[in-house]
Amino acid sequence: MGSVRRALVMVLAALLVGLAAACGGSGSGSDGETARARPAELGFEHPGVLVSKAQLKRVRAHVEAREQPWLSAFEQMRDSKYGAAGYRAKPYAVVGCPAGDRAGKGCVEEREDAIAAYTQALLWNVTGERAHAEKAVQIMDAWSRVITKHTEANAGLQTAWAASTWARAAEAVRYTYDGWTDGQLLRFERMLRNAYLPQVRDGAADFNGNWDLLMADATINMAVFLDDHEAFEKAVTHFRTRVPAYFYLKSDGPLPVSPANSGINTPDKLRKYWFGQKTFADGLSQETCRNFKHASYSLAATAHIAETAWHQGVDLYGEVKERLLAALEFHSKYQLGAKAPDWLCGGKVQRDMGPDTEVGLNHLRERLKLDLPETEKLTREQRPEGTDGLFVAWETLTHAENV
C-alpha cells in the first residue's frame, strides 16, 4: 500500500503543478518563476524522512523472520553503544567546531547523540519496545532544552551532519509513538528552526561540494518534519544545481559545470576546485582527487535527498540517475582495488569510502532494475553497513532491497 500511496502522491503533485502552470500561478508565472517541486497545498507524507512507513514495516518483518542481511544489520545496531538502554545525552548550549585538528566543543557529542536518538527510534520501530522511543525523546529533549547555536569554521558542516540525523530520528518517533508530549515536541521544533535550519538553508556555494549537498540533505529532512514547504523547495533547488556541478558527465562538455552562485567560474578556477584534475570522465566527482571519503559523503547525501523527495512524490532520482549511477560505479570500481590510471589524480587515489552506497543502490538496482555490478559487489562486501559517526547510520537495515 505504501508504494501505491506514493505513486498517487506523485500523480497528484504533477496534476497540481500542471494546473498551477495553466492558471499562471506560482508554477510558471509570466515573470519566469520556476515551477515548484510540489504544490504548497499538498501535505507531506509521514513518516517520510529517508525512511517511509512501509519501509519501516518491511524492516521489522525481515528482522522478525530472522532474514539476512537485515538480522545482522539489526544486531549490529542493537549492540552498538548508540543502542544502549543507559545511553545518556551530553548536550551543549554552544557547539564550536573549528577546522583542522583543533579540538572542538560538543561536536562529537552532538553527532553521537543525534545518531543515538535515531538508533533508538529505529529500535522502537523494529522491536515495539517503548523504552527505545522514550530514550530517543529523552535525548532529543536534552538537546532542545539547551542548544542555541554553532560556531567556528566548521559550523555549517557540523550543523548539517547533526540536523540531518535529528530530523530522521524525530520523524521516526513522532508518527509512530504517542508518548512525545506537546511541550517536548514544540521545544524540538524550535531547536531545529532556530539553531539548525538558518545555518544550512542557503548552502555554501564556494566550499567543497559535500558541504552544499549535506546542507541540502539536512534542509529537506527538517523541511518534511517541520511541514515547511519553502524549505523543501530550497533544498530541491540546491540539489538540482549542485549535483550536476559535483558529479561529471561527458555531456557537460570539456569542463565540469560551475557551482551556481559561486565565484568558481573560469577554467583555471574549476581545475583548481577539482583538485588539479585535468581529464574528466563519467562519474568523477569534484572531490575524487581529494579523497574518496568526501566523494562518498556526497554520494550518500545525494541519495538521501532524492530518497526523501521520492517519499514526498518528487522524483529527483529521475533527474540525476545517470550521474548517480556513473558516480557509484566509478568510485566503487577503484574502492574495490582497480588500478588508477595516470590521468586520474596522477595515478594515486585515496580509497576510503564510507558506508554510503545502500540508498542509491536500492533505488537504481531494486526500483529501476539498472545494472551496477561494481556498486553491488562493494556493498555486499561492506554489509552490514553501519554508521560513519557523522550522518550515515544503519542503511543496510533500512534500505537493503527495500523499495
Side-chain angles (χ1 to χ4, degrees):
M1 289 299 293
S3 60
V4 173
R5 183 168 59 250
R6 187 199 58 74
L8 290 173
V9 169
M10 282 189 167
V11 171
L12 180 57
L15 288 172
L16 288 172
V17 168
L19 287 171
C23 297
S26 62
S28 181
S30 59
D31 59 357
E33 189 175 336
T34 304
R36 297 180 66 90
R38 67 194 308 279
E41 59 268 30
L42 184 64
F44 289 113
E45 286 287 306
H46 298 293
V49 173
L50 188 61
V51 189
S52 70
K53 184 176 182 179
Q55 285 177 320
L56 287 169
K57 287 183 176 180
R58 283 192 287 271
V59 168
R60 183 169 185 167
H62 284 310
V63 173
E64 288 178 344
R66 302 187 65 79
E67 296 171 343
Q68 298 293 0
W70 304 278
L71 178 61
S72 60
F74 169 76
E75 291 172 340
Q76 176 194 46
M77 179 180 73
R78 180 197 62 198
D79 297 339
S80 71
K81 64 182 179 181
Y82 305 108
Y87 190 95
R88 296 187 65 180
K90 301 178 181 66
Y92 282 71
V94 177
V95 176
C97 303
D101 297 329
R102 235 176 3 111
K105 179 183 177 183
C107 310
V108 173
E109 291 86 349
E110 181 183 36
R111 295 194 302 266
E112 290 193 341
D113 284 357
I115 292 171
Y118 183 50
T119 301
Q120 297 286 343
L122 290 176
L123 285 168
W124 149 244
N125 276 276
V126 173
T127 68
E129 296 175 7
R130 290 178 67 88
H132 292 302
E134 292 166 3
K135 178 60 67 174
V137 169
Q138 182 186 89
I139 295 168
M140 291 186 284
D141 196 52
W143 276 87
S144 62
R145 285 177 180 273
V146 302
I147 180 73
T148 59
K149 61 182 178 180
H150 298 80
T151 63
E152 303 278 1
N154 275 351
L157 186 59
Q158 171 73 18
T159 307
W161 279 334
S164 62
T165 312
W166 284 132
R168 289 177 203 133
E171 184 83 353
V173 172
R174 182 176 186 176
Y175 296 97
T176 61
Y177 170 66
D178 60 5
W180 199 353
T181 69
D182 290 345
Q184 291 171 325
L185 179 57
L186 180 59
R187 267 196 301 272
F188 185 80
E189 289 177 339
R190 285 175 176 168
M191 178 186 85
L192 294 186
R193 288 195 183 279
N194 297 329
Y196 292 88
L197 190 54
Q199 186 83 57
V200 300
R201 185 172 43 207
D202 294 328
D206 289 298
F207 285 64
N208 284 308
N210 78 90
W211 279 57
D212 234 8
L213 289 167
L214 286 159
M215 287 178 169
D217 185 12
T219 299
I220 201 168
N221 289 354
M222 288 188 283
V224 172
F225 177 73
L226 295 169
D227 290 307
D228 186 332
H229 292 267
E230 296 313 311
F232 185 93
E233 296 296 322
K234 262 289 202 193
V236 169
T237 297
H238 271 85
F239 178 94
R240 286 172 167 166
T241 55
R242 178 53 87 165
V243 173
Y246 191 87
F247 298 113
Y248 178 83
L249 284 180
K250 291 177 183 177
S251 56
D252 297 333
L255 290 173
V257 175
S258 295
N261 303 313
S262 76
I264 307 161
N265 51 16
T266 68
D268 286 344
K269 288 180 179 178
L270 277 167
R271 292 189 184 98
K272 182 178 180 181
Y273 186 57
W274 284 63
F275 292 86
Q277 184 67 13
K278 296 179 180 179
T279 302
F280 302 94
D282 285 348
L284 186 76
S285 87
Q286 181 253 315
E287 295 181 276
T288 300
C289 293
R290 180 185 186 187
N291 54 52
F292 280 18
K293 175 174 66 177
H294 285 85
S296 194
Y297 292 165
S298 297
L299 286 168
T302 297
H304 289 174
I305 298 162
E307 185 75 5
T308 295
W310 175 263
H311 296 317
Q312 304 308 325
V314 180
D315 186 11
L316 294 181
Y317 278 122
E319 300 177 20
V320 301
K321 65 181 180 182
E322 290 182 19
R323 289 183 195 274
L324 183 58
L325 187 151
L328 282 166
E329 286 292 278
F330 183 94
H331 291 89
S332 295
K333 172 184 175 181
Y334 293 109
Q335 180 69 25
L336 286 165
K339 186 179 185 301
D342 290 342
W343 63 263
L344 176 61
C345 313
K348 296 179 181 179
V349 294
Q350 189 169 321
R351 297 175 172 87
D352 50 4
M353 287 179 70
D356 302 323
T357 57
E358 289 281 15
V359 178
L361 177 64
N362 181 57
H363 183 82
L364 297 173
R365 178 70 183 88
E366 302 303 324
R367 290 185 184 134
L368 300 187
K369 307 304 180 185
L370 299 177
D371 191 26
L372 292 87
E374 304 286 354
T375 310
E376 190 167 2
K377 181 180 179 182
L378 176 64
T379 303
R380 291 188 182 280
E381 287 186 3
Q382 294 186 152
R383 282 179 177 167
E385 291 193 354
T387 177
D388 61 2
L390 302 173
F391 76 110
V392 175
W394 323 125
E395 291 178 0
T396 295
L397 178 67
T398 59
H399 285 84
E401 299 174 32
N402 196 349
V403 299

